[in-house]
Amino acid sequence: MIIETVRFGELEIDPETILEMPEGLVGIDKAKRFCLLQESSDSAFKWLQMVDEPGLAFVVINPYDFFPDYELEVCESDAELLGMEAPEDAFVLALLTLGPEGREITANLVAPVVIGTKTRRAKQVILEDERYTTKHPLVGDALQATDSAAG
Amino acid sequence: MLVLTRKVGETILIGEDIKITLVRIEDDQVRIGISAPKDVPVYRKELVEEIGIENIRAAEAARKGAEALEKLSKVKPIPKHNSEKQPKKSSKD
């Protein structure tokens, strides 16, 4: 199927790869169907593009790439929604917020998007975990990588 | 809104499954214990609001920061220590 996106123009995507988010994103209830796009296969950054809204997209990372100690628990009812019987049945994305120059990048670790790989259903999970906030700076190795990549 | 007066240690029942207990009062802070079925989400309101605002900011920043992202798209993940780590399925429920 063809979807419209502001960033990538028209894209042909496999409907099988669409992620359904029945509850939407927190504060953006209409955001219910997404696809995951990647500009280059070895990039740490991906795009979570809303299927029905060309202008709505998020930059996301696998939080474990940048925060190796990150931990989250998926409660029983969410595990059921996502069709998750074992930890391997899901993967996690953290939404990024970027400063104007692409600096001051922060990751939202308190509300990651968990995706059930068997069901392709996703949910933005809220962690009542005091270690995590909506703004964890991507620092250290990650930003050095940005600088060296920018050359 | 229903307003009830409670003493420390006293509990309010909401329906059959939800219990709210006043645990401790200290200055202007109140510690509240909540016991609810696992399919009833319990969150602090300001956290949910903050996440909603951050989601909208993230979407706006992604729209505006497109050029900056050109270079980000070249960033590779840092070497992984325990990349196989996965979300745990809660065992306490």
Side-chain angles (χ1 to χ4, degrees), chain B residues 8-28:
Chain B
V8 171
E10 291 181 336
T11 296
I12 294 166
L13 299 176
I14 300 177
E16 293 183 1
D17 301 325
I18 300 173
K19 286 184 209 163
I20 297 177
T21 304
L22 215 173
V23 177
R24 197 171 70 223
I25 304 173
E26 226 167 79
D27 301 326
D28 60 347

Side-chain angles (χ1 to χ4, degrees), chain A residues 125-146:
Chain A
V125 172
I126 298 176
L127 307 178
E128 278 289 357
D129 185 329
E130 286 173 0
R131 289 175 294 174
Y132 302 126
T133 72
T134 54
K135 292 180 183 43
H136 288 257
L138 252 59
V139 289
D141 292 349
L143 275 191
Q144 279 165 25
T146 312

Side-chain angles (χ1 to χ4, degrees), chain A residues 7 25-26 28 39-40 42-45 47 55-59 64-65 68-77 84-85 87 90 92 95-98 101-102 105 110-111 124 126-128 134-135 141-142 145-146 149-150, chain B residues 38-45 47-83 85-93:
Chain A
R7 180 167 176 77
L25 284 167
V26 177
I28 313 179
E39 280 172 294
S40 86
D42 57 355
S43 170
F45 297 85
W47 288 80
L56 191 61
F58 299 86
V59 186
Y64 300 109
D65 284 347
D69 298 328
Y70 187 51
E71 287 181 317
L72 70 100
E73 280 193 9
V74 176
C75 74
E76 201 72 39
S77 56
M84 196 183 153
E85 284 160 17
V92 185
L95 273 57
L96 298 187
T97 303
L98 299 106
E101 300 294 320
I105 308 165
V110 81
Q124 187 171 29
I126 298 176
L127 307 178
E128 278 289 357
T134 54
K135 292 180 183 43
D141 292 349
T146 312
Chain B
K38 56 189 181 228
D39 58 339
V40 176
V42 177
Y43 305 122
R44 288 167 295 147
K45 179 170 173 244
L47 177 64
V48 178
E49 287 169 349
E50 189 191 331
I51 291 165
I53 290 166
E54 192 66 20
N55 280 345
I56 290 162
R57 288 189 55 215
E60 279 170 5
R63 264 198 296 271
K64 289 180 189 157
E67 293 84 39
L69 283 163
E70 297 301 332
K71 48 184 194 189
L72 279 188
S73 65
K74 300 187 184 79
V75 178
K76 305 197 173 36
I78 58 170
K80 293 172 191 173
H81 309 292
N82 40 4
S83 59
K85 207 185 257 183
Q86 293 281 343
K88 282 184 288 194
K89 209 176 141 186
S90 171
S91 51
K92 66 174 179 232
D93 292 323

Side-chain angles (χ1 to χ4, degrees), chain A residues 12-34:
Chain A
E12 166 105 54
I13 60 159
D14 179 353
E16 298 278 302
T17 63
I18 289 177
L19 306 172
E20 302 277 351
M21 204 180 286
E23 297 171 17
L25 284 167
V26 177
I28 313 179
D29 301 350
K30 62 176 181 180
K32 293 194 193 303
R33 295 203 304 161
F34 286 91

